[in-house]
Amino acid sequence: MFLTAGEIIPKVSGLSWDEFIAQRFFAPLGMDRSSTTLAALLAADNVATPHGLDGEAIVPIPHDSVDSMAPAGAINSSARDMAQWLLLQTGDGSFGGAQLVDGAVIAETRKPHNLQQVDPRNQKLNPWTHFSAYALGWGLADYRGRLLVSHGG
């Protein structure tokens, strides 16, 4: 579904998905250490390197190129830039006094679309969790009676 959205954006906006994200989100949010392509990530300085196991040794591994599935998960960002994104989210689409995204759209992204089983391992770790679901890009669960909105990656 995110790949489909990535194909619709150029048709509606006249911009590539990369340009749209840069103009509509990165620039207004001051996310100057964020990018949507592997080439841009590799051209940046002070970038974390992924690591993996080779036997029992932890070794650096090359970044994967996910450019072909960019709308489904190709944003590279810094902790500071992600904090800007979180401010937009917790501000219901508002940032720095400007409404960048309609609050109703933000709310729609937090509605459960696919229920997920709370598996026994997670139930043991989090006995206060009674539901788990996937929304539009967000993981949803309850935490001690409150809605928990999260995203890994």
Side-chain angles (χ1 to χ4, degrees), residues 48-104:
T49 301
H51 286 70
L53 287 175
D54 182 7
E56 293 191 24
I58 298 173
V59 297
I61 58 175
H63 289 272
D64 285 333
S65 175
V66 292
D67 291 359
S68 64
M69 56 165 254
I75 293 179
N76 309 296
S77 201
S78 67
R80 181 210 164 271
D81 282 8
M82 288 307 299
Q84 303 299 85
W85 176 251
L86 290 175
L87 288 171
L88 176 76
Q89 294 295 319
T90 58
D92 294 322
S94 177
F95 180 84
Q99 192 74 37
L100 300 181
V101 180
D102 187 312

Side-chain angles (χ1 to χ4, degrees), residues 17-77:
W17 181 81
D18 302 294
E19 294 167 327
F20 183 85
I21 295 302
Q23 288 181 22
R24 293 287 297 272
F25 294 104
F26 295 165
L29 295 172
M31 296 175 67
D32 55 7
R33 296 266 312 152
S34 296
S35 63
T36 56
T37 65
L38 179 60
L41 175 68
L42 296 177
D45 62 342
N46 192 22
V47 172
T49 301
H51 286 70
L53 287 175
D54 182 7
E56 293 191 24
I58 298 173
V59 297
I61 58 175
H63 289 272
D64 285 333
S65 175
V66 292
D67 291 359
S68 64
M69 56 165 254
I75 293 179
N76 309 296
S77 201

